[in-house]
Amino acid sequence: MLIYFIASILTALSAFAARNERHLFVAGAAFYAIQAALALWIIAGGAYDTISLGVFRFDAAGTLFFVLLTVVSAFAFAHSESYLHGSDLRQMRTYSALLLLLTTAITGAYFASNLAVTWIFLEATTLCSAGIIYHRRTAQTLEAAWKYVFVCSTGIAMAYLGILLLAAATKCESLSYEAVAAAAPGSNALYLKTAFLLILCGYSCKVELFPLYTVGVDANFAAPAPASALISTGVVNAGFLAILRVYKILAQTDIFPWVRSILILVGVLSLAIGALFLRRTNNYKRFLSYSTVENMGIAAIGLGIGGIGVWAAVFHVVCHTLIKSSLYLQIAIVRQVYNGYRINRIGDYIHINRVGAIGLIIGMVVVMAFPPSPLFISELSILREVIAAGKWWLVCIILLLLCIVIYSFCMRMLRLCYQPNQDELHLSKADRKRSWSALSLLLAAMIVGVWQPGFLARLIDQIASL
């Protein structure tokens, strides 16, 4: 990990000092070569499930999400070149360097085997994301960047208090996940409950769950769309893993039923907020952001219901990464065509960029969890577990809210593709090659919905085991 961090930071600094766009491309290519080399070293080099620097572990969760991060970040970097074409070189250098540093910080959070180290790298993602959000240097992006820093820092501080309480409850000198998990059974229940509430509320700003979900919505709205593809997947996954690791620590304690109930409550509230705001928003980027809130709410319900629901929650987050990044990259092309995201003003996309429109329609079907969507598997598994638990009230709430989500997606995406357009067009900027590129991520998610490779199933089984 030390070699990885040194090489990644030096590559990001070289991007910051690039003299032209070609140098930026070379720096990006070198960075993702480092990412790929680390992935190969872990998977094929015998480093899997080993410890590095005493505070990092190449476990199943970190490895799987790191591979996804490498793919999504590479796509985001490549699409940014077209999205930012014509921008000031200084801004492009800063943006590219921050995108690479954000990927590095997320990687550290994935592989951290220590509560404090996870906290440090999640705070690092705040600083990198804020710089990306402020890329356009407008009053609106400045407000969004400061709001992101303030709310995320507050949330991270809450999570830190939770970590301190967890350490006090378990009386552990080490904050490694294994040591805390071994000492958690029999610890003070009040301390454990308070610690979990603080950690869940604090990290909700990263995982885009209730109550601090709004900062993620604003961040994705203000940031360039390719960067939003990384923030709404890579950063969200880092927050999800942080909560999942604490969830597994508390799995052997007496308060675990209470923890599951809290997750169900948070999941239902997030699902409700996402579904209702999908109906009200008039901006396609905010629309996709509220879709993330809704999907992470479903994942929280899966963790809360337990059993096969834990496996379904992890599988849901994995597939959501590919689907949502594809949709954000398609929306980036939409902005290049219309110079905006206003839902009630733009349309007729099917005749302007047929490949991109088909990608959005397929994405709509997939994100609504219709077969062969992989989300159909995860949501059906969660519903089956809810029914098996006898929580019929929860089944009714989930189905009602999902109906609202389906209606909202159908209305918004069909309107974009077929309603008469009212705004100025930029037809020369309809990049069909980028549309095909974004569509490939969606097709990969659909393949996973039909056929899960053996190594993927094994990794998810290991992550979901309690």
Side-chain angles (χ1 to χ4, degrees), residues 93 109 122 158 167 186 194 201 203 225 261 265 268 278 372 386 395 420 447:
R93 291 187 308 182
L122 285 176
M158 291 173 59
T194 307
C201 291
Y203 286 157
S261 299
L265 175 62
V268 170
L278 283 173
V386 173
V395 174
I447 291 172

Side-chain angles (χ1 to χ4, degrees), residues 204 207-210 212-217 220 232 236 266-275 277-278 286-300 316 320 324 328:
S204 67
V207 74
E208 296 187 23
L209 281 173
F210 177 88
L212 300 181
Y213 66 92
T214 54
V215 68
V217 174
N220 288 320
S232 65
V236 166
V266 169
V268 170
L269 289 173
S270 301
L271 177 56
I273 289 167
F277 275 95
L278 283 173
R286 285 190 179 275
F287 183 81
L288 292 181
S289 297
Y290 282 114
S291 172
T292 300
V293 176
E294 172 250 329
N295 277 281
M296 297 315 295
I298 292 173
H316 191 90
H320 173 264
K324 189 56 59 67
Y328 266 111

Side-chain angles (χ1 to χ4, degrees), residues 148-171:
Y148 189 79
V149 170
F150 179 77
V151 177
C152 283
S153 296
T154 303
I156 294 296
M158 291 173 59
Y160 183 67
L161 291 176
I163 292 170
L164 292 179
L165 277 175
L166 192 58
T170 56
K171 299 179 181 178

